[in-house]
Amino acid sequence: DQQVKQNSPSLSVQEGRISILNCDYTNSMFDYFLWYKKYPAEGPTFLISISSIKDKNEDGRFTVFLNKSAKHLSLHIVPSQPGDSAVYFCAASAREYAGNMLTFGGGTRLMVKP
Amino acid sequence: DTGVSQDPRHKITKRGQNVTFRCDPISEHNRLYWYRQTLGQGPEFLTYFQNEAQLEKSRLLSDRFSAERPKGSFSTLEIQRTEQGDSAMYLCASSLDGSYEQYFGPGTRLTVT
């Protein structure tokens, strides 16, 4: 069963507007969440993270929101830029997991149109 | 560049052959991970090392797979008797002890014909 789900395989947004990428999880043990960005032919690049003790973390144009009761998190990119076009992966981990191994969602392809 | 590096970047092999991949982590990172990613999916955890000790293996890691990190620095992942289902991107990541953030290499894309 998929413990981390990204239900939108793709998202298209106009340059300058907000991009909102969503992620749902089922495992209550998860206590840390991360977003990674992946360009073709490259490995995932760490973008931003949030601990379960917070409900928001912001870094420049990127903000992650966590709703623990709904087991839902989202990544907001404002304003979106063409260079943000990539596949975005949501990942989760738990303190109890050996080595803090990551469980990934299936990814959302973001296309930012000029 | 002091990021995670992987070699080779691409490998094409015939079914039944053995292949070995190498990963060099960020030098001060004592944790090293291997993940596998197939088309349209997110990376899936395979195994993890704390220094030279292999501490966790996924059920995805069949007995044809073996990983080593002999001196706690670089790591190798070997697949014996490759099958077409092994075709995937193999990703290596490293992190500091206790940190959740993992830093990935560019991956090795394996194609089994």
Side-chain angles (χ1 to χ4, degrees), chain A residues 92-110:
Chain A
S93 186
R95 192 174 299 110
E96 289 78 10
Y97 283 8
N100 298 340
M101 55 169 267
L102 299 177
T103 302
F104 283 85
T108 297
R109 181 177 301 278
L110 173 66

mmCIF file of all heavy atoms in Angstrom, chain A residues 92-110:
data_model
loop_
_atom_site.group_PDB
_atom_site.id
_atom_site.type_symbol
_atom_site.label_atom_id
_atom_site.label_comp_id
_atom_site.label_asym_id
_atom_site.label_seq_id
_atom_site.Cartn_x
_atom_site.Cartn_y
_atom_site.Cartn_z
ATOM 1 N N ALA A 92 8.473 11.238 3.306
ATOM 2 C CA ALA A 92 8.199 11.231 4.743
ATOM 3 C C ALA A 92 9.125 10.255 5.446
ATOM 4 O O ALA A 92 9.598 9.287 4.839
ATOM 5 C CB ALA A 92 6.745 10.852 4.999
ATOM 6 N N SER A 93 9.366 10.544 6.722
ATOM 7 C CA SER A 93 10.217 9.658 7.508
ATOM 8 C C SER A 93 9.731 9.650 8.948
ATOM 9 O O SER A 93 8.876 10.445 9.341
ATOM 10 C CB SER A 93 11.672 10.121 7.434
ATOM 11 O OG SER A 93 12.526 9.190 8.074
ATOM 12 N N ALA A 94 10.294 8.740 9.716
ATOM 13 C CA ALA A 94 9.935 8.618 11.123
ATOM 14 C C ALA A 94 11.190 8.345 11.934
ATOM 15 O O ALA A 94 12.094 7.654 11.461
ATOM 16 C CB ALA A 94 8.922 7.496 11.328
ATOM 17 N N ARG A 95 11.228 8.880 13.137
ATOM 18 C CA ARG A 95 12.374 8.692 14.025
ATOM 19 C C ARG A 95 12.630 7.208 14.252
ATOM 20 O O ARG A 95 13.769 6.771 14.399
ATOM 21 C CB ARG A 95 12.116 9.389 15.351
ATOM 22 C CG ARG A 95 13.316 9.533 16.256
ATOM 23 C CD ARG A 95 12.965 10.370 17.478
ATOM 24 N NE ARG A 95 12.552 11.718 17.111
ATOM 25 C CZ ARG A 95 11.325 12.182 17.221
ATOM 26 N NH1 ARG A 95 10.346 11.420 17.690
ATOM 27 N NH2 ARG A 95 11.018 13.419 16.879
ATOM 28 N N GLU A 96 11.545 6.429 14.249
ATOM 29 C CA GLU A 96 11.688 4.999 14.524
ATOM 30 C C GLU A 96 12.242 4.235 13.338
ATOM 31 O O GLU A 96 12.658 3.081 13.480
ATOM 32 C CB GLU A 96 10.323 4.394 14.897
ATOM 33 C CG GLU A 96 9.805 4.812 16.270
ATOM 34 C CD GLU A 96 9.215 6.209 16.276
ATOM 35 O OE1 GLU A 96 9.026 6.789 15.177
ATOM 36 O OE2 GLU A 96 8.949 6.725 17.377
ATOM 37 N N TYR A 97 12.223 4.845 12.159
ATOM 38 C CA TYR A 97 12.698 4.134 10.984
ATOM 39 C C TYR A 97 14.214 4.102 10.969
ATOM 40 O O TYR A 97 14.858 5.125 11.165
ATOM 41 C CB TYR A 97 12.207 4.808 9.704
ATOM 42 C CG TYR A 97 10.765 4.554 9.352
ATOM 43 C CD1 TYR A 97 9.905 3.908 10.215
ATOM 44 C CD2 TYR A 97 10.249 4.976 8.129
ATOM 45 C CE1 TYR A 97 8.581 3.685 9.897
ATOM 46 C CE2 TYR A 97 8.929 4.755 7.788
ATOM 47 C CZ TYR A 97 8.100 4.105 8.682
ATOM 48 O OH TYR A 97 6.802 3.891 8.342
ATOM 49 N N ALA A 98 14.759 2.940 10.689
ATOM 50 C CA ALA A 98 16.206 2.782 10.671
ATOM 51 C C ALA A 98 16.834 3.774 9.705
ATOM 52 O O ALA A 98 16.451 3.821 8.527
ATOM 53 C CB ALA A 98 16.567 1.363 10.252
ATOM 54 N N GLY A 99 17.745 4.570 10.228
ATOM 55 C CA GLY A 99 18.448 5.509 9.369
ATOM 56 C C GLY A 99 17.592 6.614 8.818
ATOM 57 O O GLY A 99 17.998 7.320 7.902
ATOM 58 N N ASN A 100 16.405 6.807 9.388
ATOM 59 C CA ASN A 100 15.480 7.830 8.864
ATOM 60 C C ASN A 100 15.230 7.624 7.369
ATOM 61 O O ASN A 100 15.219 8.569 6.586
ATOM 62 C CB ASN A 100 16.027 9.252 9.100
ATOM 63 C CG ASN A 100 16.190 9.559 10.565
ATOM 64 O OD1 ASN A 100 15.596 8.920 11.415
ATOM 65 N ND2 ASN A 100 17.000 10.544 10.859
ATOM 66 N N MET A 101 15.022 6.377 6.967
ATOM 67 C CA MET A 101 14.771 6.101 5.544
ATOM 68 C C MET A 101 13.542 6.878 5.078
ATOM 69 O O MET A 101 12.623 7.135 5.864
ATOM 70 C CB MET A 101 14.563 4.611 5.312
ATOM 71 C CG MET A 101 13.475 4.003 6.172
ATOM 72 S SD MET A 101 13.023 2.356 5.666
ATOM 73 C CE MET A 101 11.675 2.711 4.584
ATOM 74 N N LEU A 102 13.560 7.250 3.816
ATOM 75 C CA LEU A 102 12.491 8.076 3.261
ATOM 76 C C LEU A 102 11.503 7.216 2.477
ATOM 77 O O LEU A 102 11.895 6.305 1.748
ATOM 78 C CB LEU A 102 13.072 9.147 2.330
ATOM 79 C CG LEU A 102 14.035 10.148 2.972
ATOM 80 C CD1 LEU A 102 14.583 11.114 1.921
ATOM 81 C CD2 LEU A 102 13.344 10.913 4.087
ATOM 82 N N THR A 103 10.222 7.555 2.630
ATOM 83 C CA THR A 103 9.162 6.966 1.825
ATOM 84 C C THR A 103 8.622 8.071 0.918
ATOM 85 O O THR A 103 8.195 9.115 1.416
ATOM 86 C CB THR A 103 8.026 6.424 2.719
ATOM 87 O OG1 THR A 103 8.566 5.456 3.619
ATOM 88 C CG2 THR A 103 6.940 5.772 1.871
ATOM 89 N N PHE A 104 8.678 7.823 -0.391
ATOM 90 C CA PHE A 104 8.340 8.855 -1.370
ATOM 91 C C PHE A 104 6.951 8.644 -1.957
ATOM 92 O O PHE A 104 6.471 7.509 -2.099
ATOM 93 C CB PHE A 104 9.340 8.812 -2.534
ATOM 94 C CG PHE A 104 10.675 9.432 -2.233
ATOM 95 C CD1 PHE A 104 11.664 8.688 -1.609
ATOM 96 C CD2 PHE A 104 10.952 10.747 -2.595
ATOM 97 C CE1 PHE A 104 12.898 9.251 -1.331
ATOM 98 C CE2 PHE A 104 12.179 11.316 -2.325
ATOM 99 C CZ PHE A 104 13.162 10.569 -1.699
ATOM 100 N N GLY A 105 6.346 9.768 -2.355
ATOM 101 C CA GLY A 105 5.167 9.712 -3.198
ATOM 102 C C GLY A 105 5.584 9.517 -4.646
ATOM 103 O O GLY A 105 6.777 9.464 -4.957
ATOM 104 N N GLY A 106 4.591 9.427 -5.534
ATOM 105 C CA GLY A 106 4.864 9.142 -6.936
ATOM 106 C C GLY A 106 5.288 10.342 -7.761
ATOM 107 O O GLY A 106 5.688 10.187 -8.914
ATOM 108 N N GLY A 107 5.218 11.535 -7.179
ATOM 109 C CA GLY A 107 5.677 12.723 -7.884
ATOM 110 C C GLY A 107 4.568 13.477 -8.599
ATOM 111 O O GLY A 107 3.552 12.895 -9.007
ATOM 112 N N THR A 108 4.770 14.778 -8.750
ATOM 113 C CA THR A 108 3.889 15.652 -9.539
ATOM 114 C C THR A 108 4.776 16.444 -10.490
ATOM 115 O O THR A 108 5.726 17.088 -10.051
ATOM 116 C CB THR A 108 3.099 16.634 -8.650
ATOM 117 O OG1 THR A 108 2.233 15.908 -7.790
ATOM 118 C CG2 THR A 108 2.294 17.604 -9.511
ATOM 119 N N ARG A 109 4.445 16.372 -11.775
ATOM 120 C CA ARG A 109 5.209 17.140 -12.762
ATOM 121 C C ARG A 109 4.621 18.537 -12.853
ATOM 122 O O ARG A 109 3.454 18.715 -13.208
ATOM 123 C CB ARG A 109 5.161 16.463 -14.127
ATOM 124 C CG ARG A 109 5.956 17.199 -15.206
ATOM 125 C CD ARG A 109 5.932 16.442 -16.531
ATOM 126 N NE ARG A 109 6.497 15.113 -16.377
ATOM 127 C CZ ARG A 109 7.784 14.837 -16.381
ATOM 128 N NH1 ARG A 109 8.667 15.801 -16.556
ATOM 129 N NH2 ARG A 109 8.203 13.600 -16.235
ATOM 130 N N LEU A 110 5.427 19.529 -12.515
ATOM 131 C CA LEU A 110 5.005 20.931 -12.589
ATOM 132 C C LEU A 110 5.542 21.558 -13.868
ATOM 133 O O LEU A 110 6.733 21.437 -14.161
ATOM 134 C CB LEU A 110 5.531 21.703 -11.372
ATOM 135 C CG LEU A 110 5.302 23.219 -11.394
ATOM 136 C CD1 LEU A 110 3.813 23.544 -11.312
ATOM 137 C CD2 LEU A 110 6.045 23.900 -10.246
#
